Amino acid sequence: MSATNPGSRPGLSREVVAERAVALGDAEGIEAVTVRRLARDFGVTSMALYWHFRTKDDLLAGIGDHILDAVEVPDPSGDWAADLRATMIALVTALRPHPQLAPLVTVRLAEHPHGLALTERGLGVLVEAGFDPETATYLALHGLRVALATVAPPEGDKRGSLSAEEMDAGVRHKTAALGALPPQQYPTLVAHAPVIANTLCRDEDTTMLIDVFVAGVQAMSARLR
Amino acid sequence: MSATNPGSRPGLSREVVAERAVALGDAEGIEAVTVRRLARDFGVTSMALYWHFRTKDDLLAGIGDHILDAVEVPDPSGDWAADLRATMIALVTALRPHPQLAPLVTVRLAEHPHGLALTERGLGVLVEAGFDPETATYLALHGLRVALATVAPPEGDKRGSLSAEEMDAGVRHKTAALGALPPQQYPTLVAHAPVIANTLCRDEDTTMLIDVFVAGVQAMSARLR
DNA sequence: ACCTGAACACCGTTCAAGT
DNA sequence: ACCTGAACACCGTTCAAGT
């Protein structure tokens, strides 16, 4: 009931801290999300946070949960392929504002109510499509991972903490690097160096990648008959 | 020429250190791969490693390169879909022995010769399949990520440093957790709790997931005509 | 119930110095 | 060219103590 009494004690709580952690991670990247840094921002000792979170992993779980809170679980339509797609889009929509933090939701998919709802829906439509439970589980798990991969920057990527000029410099550098490759060995890379470099550094078209997955599952399903 | 003179000085080198780092990461997980720990194992100061690696990121790059060394780039067959599949299988085959370290190769795909060769092949077959360079880049990049996702354990997963008993305990715990969910809300999860829990905790069938991706790309390609 | 203070065992990294 | 020693600025976490 008393979340942030103005002018009084910090009034920490799981949600308040998680929200701030998300803001910090969005702004400065996941490696900036540190117990000590967070405490400093709240004007509080590091150990104050340990009253609300058992461990740092627990704090990261809080971040994942906070992101999953925003998921809007779609209603079933009767068309299983459309429902599969809608499920993935629902996840991606919630993750999109937090590309740097998206990986943190993976572990929470089997815990958070919305994560469970998406998993249930994904599994349900796949069983409906004719897959046995084991294969359906593989596909559902992978489908959620594909959704994640479409919003998260590649592993080890530093962008997000990069300015527009730095990104442009990155694109030019990459273009030059690709263009300098031996053309007989790497004809495609050399021929399309500029567009490839730009594509590698910019956002991806997530919708198409989800459509590829759904189309693949449809093809597999058709082979079952 | 002088790599490990028996009985003499440590004889460190980029390759020797990277190889040890891979062994350590495979055995104890990526978070065990630490500059200080590695130095201790070599009986050497931490700073000794900084002669061979500019920074820790550079060391991680060395790990990625060492893994990519094992890639056998397949010969083209003329069938673009088969070639796309072979490219992904080639990557997965090299990554499979090092599930915990697989994410480290992502950044090296555009640097290491074998990574470039796989990227070139992937892009080439997709352009051949009728996609414009930008779409082909999206798809190639994502295809390599899919390959990665099929071997790497889910984000935040601790298995690999788990014993067989601990994993069985995990499966039982997960089964119980899923089985305890409200059945009217999560009918599929409850109905197949044991097989789902087991599937979630064991290795995935990577081949099928790659086939799903290839089938999806084939479907997209067919829609282009 | 909620937070502080001091301490422990770790990190990556710099810089001057040794051989 | 290759490695050491000492130091700096960080981590997560425990544990006893305060209010």
Side-chain angles (χ1 to χ4, degrees):
Chain A
M1 281 300 169
S2 64
T4 37
N5 299 354
S8 82
R9 293 281 84 174
L12 296 184
S13 73
R14 256 191 157 262
E15 299 80 42
V16 169
V17 175
E19 190 170 357
R20 191 91 152 215
V22 168
L24 177 58
D26 287 339
E28 306 188 23
I30 193 168
E31 71 282 358
V33 179
T34 236
V35 178
R36 291 176 124 103
R37 164 68 187 273
L38 226 32
R40 189 154 54 81
D41 287 1
F42 275 112
V44 114
T45 320
S46 330
M47 289 68 65
L49 301 187
Y50 279 88
W51 181 260
H52 305 277
F53 299 94
R54 270 181 14 262
T55 163
K56 193 189 176 177
D57 273 358
D58 193 26
L59 199 165
L60 297 179
I63 293 180
D65 285 340
H66 188 262
I67 294 176
L68 283 175
D69 283 343
V71 168
E72 293 190 35
V73 182
D75 290 325
S77 73
D79 176 359
W80 70 259
D83 285 349
L84 177 61
R85 187 177 186 278
T87 305
M88 297 176 73
I89 296 279
L91 181 59
V92 162
T93 304
L95 295 177
R96 200 161 245 326
H98 318 284
Q100 317 233 35
L101 306 176
L104 296 179
V105 315
T106 319
V107 241
R108 303 309 292 166
L109 281 174
E111 314 284 343
H112 190 285
H114 291 161
L116 282 169
L118 293 179
T119 311
E120 165 67 30
R121 184 65 53 80
L123 271 170
V125 299
L126 290 169
V127 168
E128 189 184 333
F131 296 101
D132 64 282
E134 195 169 3
T135 309
T137 305
Y138 282 142
L139 288 173
L141 182 62
H142 185 70
L144 295 176
R145 275 203 211 174
V146 165
L148 252 156
T150 57
V151 316
E155 208 78 25
D157 198 316
K158 305 292 186 219
R159 83 161 156 264
S161 28
L162 291 186
S163 68
E165 302 98 55
E166 286 173 316
M167 271 203 32
D168 277 343
V171 173
R172 278 195 304 275
H173 176 263
K174 202 126 200 80
T175 307
L178 290 175
L181 290 172
Q184 68 279 22
Q185 230 171 1
Y186 307 107
T188 319
L189 286 173
V190 173
H192 305 105
V195 47
I196 292 171
N198 193 65
T199 307
L200 285 176
C201 293
R202 310 289 181 177
D203 263 349
E204 298 183 35
D205 183 352
T206 71
T207 309
M208 183 187 65
L209 300 175
I210 290 175
D211 287 339
V212 166
F213 178 75
V214 174
V217 173
Q218 280 181 300
M220 292 283 289
S221 164
R223 284 178 211 167
L224 290 177
R225 326 273 150 156
Chain B
M1 281 303 168
S2 63
T4 38
N5 300 352
S8 82
R9 295 280 84 175
L12 296 184
S13 74
R14 258 193 155 261
E15 300 80 41
V16 169
V17 175
E19 189 169 359
R20 192 90 153 216
V22 168
L24 178 57
D26 286 339
E28 306 187 24
I30 194 168
E31 71 283 357
V33 179
T34 237
V35 178
R36 291 177 125 102
R37 164 68 188 271
L38 225 32
R40 188 154 53 82
D41 287 1
F42 276 112
V44 114
T45 320
S46 331
M47 288 67 64
L49 302 187
Y50 278 88
W51 181 261
H52 305 278
F53 299 93
R54 269 182 14 264
T55 163
K56 191 187 177 179
D57 274 357
D58 193 25
L59 198 164
L60 297 179
I63 293 181
D65 285 339
H66 188 262
I67 294 176
L68 282 175
D69 283 341
V71 168
E72 293 190 36
V73 182
D75 289 327
S77 73
D79 176 359
W80 71 261
D83 285 348
L84 178 60
R85 187 178 186 279
T87 306
M88 297 175 73
I89 296 278
L91 181 59
V92 162
T93 304
L95 296 177
R96 200 161 247 325
H98 318 284
Q100 316 233 39
L101 306 175
L104 295 179
V105 316
T106 319
V107 240
R108 304 310 292 166
L109 280 174
E111 314 283 342
H112 190 285
H114 290 161
L116 281 169
L118 293 179
T119 311
E120 167 67 30
R121 183 65 52 81
L123 271 170
V125 300
L126 290 168
V127 168
E128 188 184 333
F131 295 101
D132 63 281
E134 195 169 4
T135 309
T137 306
Y138 282 142
L139 289 174
L141 182 63
H142 186 68
L144 295 176
R145 275 204 210 173
V146 165
L148 252 156
T150 57
V151 316
E155 207 79 26
D157 199 316
K158 305 292 185 216
R159 82 163 157 262
S161 27
L162 292 186
S163 66
E165 303 101 53
E166 286 173 316
M167 270 204 32
D168 278 342
V171 173
R172 277 195 304 275
H173 176 263
K174 203 125 199 83
T175 307
L178 291 175
L181 290 171
Q184 69 278 22
Q185 231 172 0
Y186 306 107
T188 319
L189 286 174
V190 173
H192 305 106
V195 48
I196 292 172
N198 192 65
T199 306
L200 285 176
C201 292
R202 310 288 181 179
D203 262 351
E204 299 184 34
D205 182 353
T206 71
T207 310
M208 183 188 65
L209 300 175
I210 289 175
D211 286 339
V212 166
F213 178 75
V214 174
V217 173
Q218 279 182 300
M220 293 282 290
S221 164
R223 284 176 210 167
L224 290 176
R225 326 272 150 158

